[in-house]
Amino acid sequence: MIKFLDLQKVNLQYQEEIEAKLLEVFRSGWYLMGGQLTNFEQNFNNYIGAKHSIGVANGLDALRLILRAYIELGIMSKDDEIIVPSNTYIASILAISDNGLVPVLAEPDIDNYNIDISKIEKKITSKTKGILIVHLYGRIVFSEELEQLAQKYSLKIIEDNAQTIGAEWKGKKSGNLGDAAGFSFYPGKNLGALGDAGAVTTNDEELAKTIRALANYGSNQKYVNIYQGLNSRLDEIQAAVLDVKLKYIDEENTVRRNIAKRYIGEISNPKIILPENPENEREHVWHVFIIRTENREALQAYLTENGIQTLIHYPIPPHRQQAYKEWNDMSFPISEKIHQEVLSLPISPVMSDEEVNKIIEIINKF
């Protein structure tokens, strides 16, 4: 079986370095908010190009904390609206509603699966305070038009950068394009920890200071609590592992791009709709490789029978989830079409040429 993602093999590439770091943490006797976290945050700043990074417990918390900090700073308040793509993973939306803010769904572009920037302005009302863009599947969504909209209506641009670490737009990395960004280092991400982990990046010093306090029980001085905060901290073990793997992220993304080029160039089955490859390859890091077909269930069963594991990102759109039952009667036809047809093929930095060959061959015979 060709695994969708062989995490063991991904991490064993760096076994010696990771084990040395884990031993260092173990022997240090310091397991939270220590030198490993400081080193990783600084190296992450340097990589992304942002002034501030804050390690947190996971990607959802990263987004929750950004929005909560804007509320604490008086920039947003409960019942304000945040525009968000209607085909994203539900975490993007949970972060908004968890803060008492109102998610306003906007349809994606059917060709690149990211929010359709041309559809954003008609969603803006007097209550709109931000746009949460999601760089979905590994591809950046950004433009001068988006920046101009944000300036025109005094909106914050928040990046959900859970899937796109290392991608660039006009020489700037995702995570340093808007006002703040949330990262997930869930093990299956391009930069994955050995458990849950996340981070926030921003160039706003006051926002960074507020997020750092909020994530530490609302405190920036022990036993002095200025906010009703959370416990959302990146521990020393995960920081150490991420610091090792950060050095190799560009190299691994290059492997992903090369596999994507092969898929796009060599899959020729007319039943398959291939993803769009951006003109500037730096805009995509191929966290997942999405194809579409009207025969998804049959194709997935056929691939499984032929020893190829696939996943669906994501089978149910947010507005059809029971968690948001008040939206169940709403219609987002582009999102619904995407969710009904997408299938994710294996793509990872440890795949062999033989595995890629087999996947292409089997799909072309479907």
Side-chain angles (χ1 to χ4, degrees), residues 145-287:
E145 180 187 355
L146 179 64
E147 290 181 307
Q148 289 162 8
L149 273 178
Q151 291 169 4
K152 180 179 178 181
Y153 294 99
S154 300
L155 306 178
K156 297 296 183 183
I157 298 176
I158 301 153
E159 298 174 73
D160 182 337
N161 203 45
Q163 301 186 3
T164 315
I165 184 169
E168 295 180 7
W169 183 77
K170 296 193 172 181
K172 290 183 73 174
K173 284 192 168 66
S174 60
N176 194 30
L177 299 173
D179 295 284
F183 291 77
S184 168
F185 304 125
Y186 178 79
K189 303 300 186 188
N190 290 32
L191 179 63
L194 300 185
D196 275 324
V200 174
T201 54
T202 183
N203 292 311
D204 183 332
E205 186 171 351
E206 193 63 25
L207 184 71
K209 182 180 177 182
T210 305
I211 289 170
R212 197 174 289 280
L214 282 167
N216 186 38
Y217 297 94
S219 171
N220 52 25
Q221 179 183 345
K222 196 166 186 177
Y223 302 130
V224 178
N225 302 82
I226 54 178
Y227 307 112
Q228 296 177 25
L230 311 174
N231 173 17
S232 184
R233 301 177 296 196
L234 181 64
D235 66 61
E236 289 287 278
I237 287 175
Q238 302 302 346
V241 171
L242 289 166
D243 207 33
V244 169
K245 295 180 71 177
L246 180 63
K247 296 182 291 186
Y248 303 102
I249 187 64
D250 287 339
E251 180 182 320
E252 291 198 355
N253 283 343
T254 296
V255 176
R256 289 174 177 272
R257 289 187 181 111
N258 289 337
I259 295 170
K261 281 181 192 174
R262 287 206 58 199
Y263 282 159
I264 291 170
E266 298 176 41
I267 293 175
S268 56
N269 190 321
K271 296 184 180 70
I272 306 300
I273 299 171
L274 294 165
E276 194 178 67
N277 198 7
E279 189 174 326
N280 179 1
E281 69 170 15
R282 304 291 300 175
E283 292 180 12
H284 211 319
V285 294
W286 302 99
H287 171 58

Side-chain angles (χ1 to χ4, degrees), residues 18-52:
I18 289 173
E19 287 182 349
K21 278 285 190 179
L22 294 177
L23 188 59
E24 187 179 324
V25 174
F26 174 68
R27 287 175 171 170
S28 74
W30 195 293
Y31 308 120
L32 279 171
M33 301 177 74
Q36 300 291 348
L37 177 62
T38 299
N39 288 341
F40 173 68
E41 287 180 342
Q42 185 56 60
N43 290 332
F44 200 61
N45 282 341
N46 294 340
Y47 181 77
I48 298 298
K51 292 180 180 177
H52 305 280

Side-chain angles (χ1 to χ4, degrees), residues 92-111:
S92 314
I93 295 167
L94 290 172
I96 299 169
S97 57
D98 182 69
N99 278 289
L101 302 167
V102 179
V104 175
L105 306 183
E107 285 267 59
D109 184 316
I110 190 64
D111 294 320

Side-chain angles (χ1 to χ4, degrees), residues 6 48 52-53 105 138 161 208 232 242 290 296 299 329 358:
D6 191 336
I48 298 298
H52 305 280
S53 69
L105 306 183
N161 203 45
S232 184
L242 289 166
I290 295 290
R296 180 174 69 191
L299 175 59
D329 293 332
K358 179 178 177 180

